[in-house]
Amino acid sequence: KNEVEQSPQNLTAQEGEFITINCSYSVGISALHWLQQHPGGGIVSLFMLSSGKKKHGRLIATINIQEKHSSLHITASHPRDSAVYICAVRRPSGGGADGLTFGKGTHLIIQP
Amino acid sequence: DGGITQSPKYLFRKEGQNVTLSCEQNLNHDAMYWYRQDPGQGLRLIYYSQIVNDFQKGDIAEGYSVSREKKESFPLTVTSAQKNPTAFYLCASSHPWTEPNYGYTFGSGTRLTVV
């Protein structure tokens, strides 16, 4: 079982719909990241969370540490939101490899 | 503007040849990372470096080598020992976790194809 699970794997929606992407993890973490990868391949960091909720424009990210679950919401979705959204967790430092553990990503397509 | 530059964007290599992927950052980040991305899989950590002249193996280091002679540069060499090198390679950097402005910055990636 992967340490980071995302759902759904693929999501197609109509412009204007409210979008929710879920991320569950099974390990202890110090932070959770939401990333956006466009077709060209480059990755942009959207949010870094260790508790609560963050909002940036039409994007909202929440995390529940007790339930080991995070959600990424997109309000008033637009075709330019079409991308792969990746959840990644940072393991606590000390011992083992540093860096992030990534989910497989959610491929989102917003149709006009 | 500060950021990470990866080059080249596309790279073709003949089987049996070594190839080096470039990663340069001007963010003054101490830590740098190399990840590999394959279709249907999450990114996996190849190597990371938290300080100049020091680096550590990640989860899939076999067949790869790195160097960190300068803070700004963290090149990755894909050697002929890497059995399945065709993949998308991403470089990232960050401040140490203890810094208040900790966060990751990613490059635009290099797509390597072995022909």
Side-chain angles (χ1 to χ4, degrees):
Chain A
K1 188 178 189 301
N2 293 329
E3 293 179 339
V4 180
E5 295 277 359
Q6 287 186 236
S7 63
Q9 289 184 345
N10 298 284
L11 178 58
T12 300
Q14 296 298 311
E15 183 173 356
E17 287 189 38
F18 181 82
I19 303 299
T20 296
I21 299 171
N22 296 299
C23 176
S24 296
Y25 53 92
S26 58
V27 295
I29 69 170
S30 53
L32 182 144
H33 297 255
W34 280 103
L35 310 169
Q36 181 190 54
Q37 184 173 31
H38 279 283
I43 289 180
V44 174
S45 179
L46 298 175
F47 295 103
M48 182 180 69
L49 296 163
S50 55
S51 65
K53 175 181 176 179
K54 287 190 175 181
K55 185 176 188 293
H56 185 240
R58 295 181 294 106
L59 301 177
I60 303 166
T62 64
I63 188 168
N64 185 317
I65 297 296
Q66 288 74 26
E67 295 186 4
K68 296 187 175 178
H69 181 268
S70 176
S71 293
L72 177 68
H73 306 285
I74 305 175
T75 62
S77 59
H78 189 277
R80 64 175 174 267
D81 297 325
S82 299
V84 176
Y85 292 85
I86 300 171
C87 172
V89 300
R90 189 185 187 281
R91 292 158 282 180
S93 60
D98 199 2
L100 302 171
T101 300
F102 296 81
K104 294 182 179 181
T106 294
H107 189 194
L108 174 66
I109 297 174
I110 304 296
Q111 295 178 334
Chain B
D1 287 338
I4 294 182
T5 301
Q6 286 189 244
S7 61
K9 191 170 179 68
Y10 298 96
L11 189 57
F12 295 88
R13 188 197 92 177
K14 291 184 179 180
E15 245 182 278
Q17 289 181 339
N18 292 356
V19 63
T20 298
L21 281 59
S22 169
C23 178
E24 304 276 333
Q25 54 101 356
N26 60 2
L27 299 163
N28 200 33
H29 284 171
D30 288 302
M32 297 187 73
Y33 313 86
W34 273 106
Y35 295 95
R36 171 181 170 138
Q37 187 177 38
D38 294 284
Q41 295 195 39
L43 278 75
R44 292 179 290 169
L45 181 65
I46 304 172
Y47 267 99
Y48 67 101
S49 167
Q50 293 179 310
I51 195 169
V52 174
N53 291 323
D54 185 57
F55 47 84
Q56 305 295 328
K57 292 182 178 180
D59 301 318
I60 54 166
E62 185 175 352
Y64 300 97
S65 66
V66 293
S67 63
R68 187 85 187 277
E69 296 177 2
K70 299 186 300 181
K71 188 175 186 177
E72 302 79 18
S73 179
F74 191 40
L76 173 75
T77 296
V78 184
T79 75
S80 55
Q82 169 50 235
K83 295 178 182 177
N84 187 18
T86 295
F88 187 65
Y89 293 88
L90 276 158
C91 179
S93 69
S94 73
H95 280 301
W97 168 244
T98 52
E99 294 287 325
N101 57 347
Y102 161 80
Y104 284 81
T105 301
F106 288 84
S108 57
T110 293
R111 189 166 299 279
L112 173 65
T113 303
V114 174
V115 295

